[in-house]
Amino acid sequence: MRPVKNLFVLYTGGTIGMLQTVEGLAPAGGFEARMREQLQGQDEITLDWGFAELQPLLDSANMTQANWLAMRDAIVEAVEQGGHDGVLVLHGTDTLAYSAAALSFLLLGLDVPVLLTGSMQPMGAPGSDAWDNLGGALKALQNGAPQGVWLYFNGELLHGARVTKLCSDAFDAFTVLPRKRVGERTGSLPETLDYRQPRQLVNLAVLPLFPGLRAEHLRALLGGGVQALLLECYGSGTGPSDNEELLSVLREAHARGVVLAAISQCPQGHVAFDVYAAGSRLRDAGLVSGGGMTREAALGKLFSLLGSGLSQAEAERLFALDLCGERVDG
Ligand code: ASP
């Protein structure tokens, strides 16, 4: 934990800096001046900081993989060329957990703390949580934050590859679900996953299993050139295992190179295929277990693995290992 002395603040939009418009709250520029004004007279915050706005400013509901890569590029440039020793990303809360997870994998090997924060109410609104989150994140960085990607929210520092948005209208909106973390750590990080390596966009899909899911639904989804499908299975990783047509759609997709990954749709669940025959049949169809990973973590990890051009087999191997604490505690 090193105290940050020269921080890079990257403003991407989100409620924290939004202003009221006729259509409702919308992203607005000029946040640096508002932040400097807010900091005047706050003697306890002494670290130096530089500021950049990522264009276009977004309601985070509009975030895409391309925006994750733009954030990654801005952060890497600020650290490597700008000499910054810590990063604070200001971001909307709706997809904050997804960006935190994606950045956790895109920034593997970057040796500075990267904190993300935002707020449930805009800066300046009466009773807003914006300053508590922003000022708290600045203090945490100044006092020394751990390397890696973290979410600072409502007074808590939460692991970037474990966090989930749980509430749409409360200040304590984020949590780390008590999912079981078991698995093996990767030894040394493969060179291809280093933060400096180029990444490309990936055609990813997520599907929660539900009673009544038909093989044709799955066929339609997988027919669009999907490179990886994240299936949110029941309980400990079960699914409609007596539907032979559905299993063969999965098998065929896997045979043509699609990565099929499984997580549990239970908030406190994890995948252990062998508990039920209905789980082991899914594994036999080609699914790889995501253990106790969240949807956000699994999606960000699949993006990072396939975006770096890894083969199906290598992506599956690394998906099953812990890269940055997403699967294993400690
Ligand atoms: N819709 C907003 C966003 O995600 C919500 C927020 O920032 O709290 O940008």
Side-chain angles (χ1 to χ4, degrees), residues 13-16 18 58-61 91-95 119-121 165:
T15 295
I16 193 163
M18 284 188 185
L58 293 176
D59 184 308
S60 78
H91 193 292
T93 60
D94 285 341
T95 62
S119 63
M120 300 303 284
Q121 291 185 7
K165 184 174 180 182

Side-chain angles (χ1 to χ4, degrees), residues 56 76 80 132 134 168 172 182 197 248 255 258 277:
V76 171
E80 295 208 323
D132 286 346
L134 177 51
S168 63
D172 59 342
V182 279
Q197 296 296 328
S248 63
V258 178

Side-chain angles (χ1 to χ4, degrees), residues 15 119-133 154 169-172:
T15 295
S119 63
M120 300 303 284
Q121 291 185 7
M123 183 86 114
S128 168
D129 55 336
W131 178 248
D132 286 346
N133 289 345
N154 197 45
D169 58 359
F171 286 172
D172 59 342

Side-chain angles (χ1 to χ4, degrees), residues 10 61 130 141 158-159 195 208 230 243 246 255 263 285 294 314 317-318:
L10 182 63
L141 287 155
L158 304 165
H159 193 289
Y195 69 93
L230 180 61
N243 184 334
L246 193 139
I263 55 169
T294 59
E314 190 58 358
R317 186 182 78 78
L318 290 166

Side-chain angles (χ1 to χ4, degrees), residues 259 288 301-302 305-306 310-321:
V259 173
V288 59
K301 190 170 180 179
L302 287 170
L305 297 175
L306 292 168
L310 293 176
S311 67
Q312 180 192 33
E314 190 58 358
E316 288 173 349
R317 186 182 78 78
L318 290 166
F319 186 79
L321 295 174

Side-chain angles (χ1 to χ4, degrees), residues 2-281:
R2 279 189 313 244
V4 171
K5 304 230 174 314
N6 181 16
L7 180 70
F8 174 60
V9 181
L10 182 63
Y11 172 56
T12 68
T15 295
I16 193 163
M18 284 188 185
L19 295 174
Q20 200 58 250
T21 70
V22 281
E23 289 182 290
L25 289 170
F31 194 76
E32 180 178 4
R34 296 169 70 196
M35 189 170 152
R36 292 211 182 270
E37 196 184 323
Q38 186 74 38
L39 276 168
Q40 266 170 20
Q42 304 271 353
D43 296 339
E44 74 275 40
I45 294 171
T46 53
L47 82 179
D48 289 329
W49 53 278
F51 186 98
E53 283 187 1
L54 200 68
Q55 294 298 336
L57 292 171
L58 293 176
D59 184 308
S60 78
N62 292 307
M63 282 280 163
T64 63
Q65 293 176 358
N67 301 118
W68 293 343
L69 292 179
M71 279 188 254
R72 192 268 313 243
D73 292 348
I75 291 168
V76 171
E77 193 190 321
V79 172
E80 295 208 323
Q81 270 110 65
H84 291 280
D85 58 354
V87 177
L88 177 62
V89 179
L90 304 178
H91 193 292
T93 60
D94 285 341
T95 62
L96 185 46
Y98 288 92
S99 291
L103 288 173
S104 298
F105 298 105
L106 292 174
L107 294 173
L108 287 173
L110 183 72
D111 190 24
V112 304
V114 177
L115 264 56
L116 290 90
T117 196
S119 63
M120 300 303 284
Q121 291 185 7
M123 183 86 114
S128 168
D129 55 336
W131 178 248
D132 286 346
N133 289 345
L134 177 51
L138 291 171
K139 279 185 217 155
L141 287 155
Q142 180 175 286
N143 293 339
Q147 181 269 345
V149 176
W150 299 84
L151 178 67
Y152 182 90
F153 215 88
N154 197 45
E156 282 190 292
L157 199 58
L158 304 165
H159 193 289
R162 295 181 189 165
V163 74
T164 295
K165 184 174 180 182
L166 202 60
C167 306
S168 63
D169 58 359
F171 286 172
D172 59 342
F174 290 89
T175 195
V176 170
L177 296 168
R179 292 171 85 103
K180 190 161 180 186
R181 295 205 174 78
V182 279
E184 231 182 284
R185 291 205 172 83
T186 176
S188 57
L189 196 66
E191 186 59 28
T192 29
L193 295 186
D194 182 85
Y195 69 93
R196 300 174 198 90
Q197 296 296 328
R199 293 297 209 289
Q200 65 220 14
L201 305 185
V202 185
N203 189 342
L204 296 175
V206 181
L207 181 71
L209 296 183
F210 56 92
L213 174 68
R214 296 181 185 174
E216 69 227 47
H217 295 148
L218 209 49
R219 203 176 283 116
L221 182 64
L222 289 164
V226 163
Q227 293 165 264
L229 171 65
L230 180 61
L231 274 181
E232 297 186 353
C233 298
Y234 304 126
S236 58
T238 62
S241 59
D242 54 2
N243 184 334
E244 196 39 54
E245 195 190 348
L246 193 139
L247 292 179
S248 63
V249 174
L250 291 173
R251 274 194 295 268
E252 283 158 23
H254 191 254
R256 58 171 194 272
V258 178
V259 173
L260 302 173
I263 55 169
S264 173
Q265 52 187 252
C266 293
Q268 300 188 23
H270 72 284
V271 172
F273 284 134
D274 289 329
V275 176
Y276 295 96
S280 54
R281 280 184 210 139

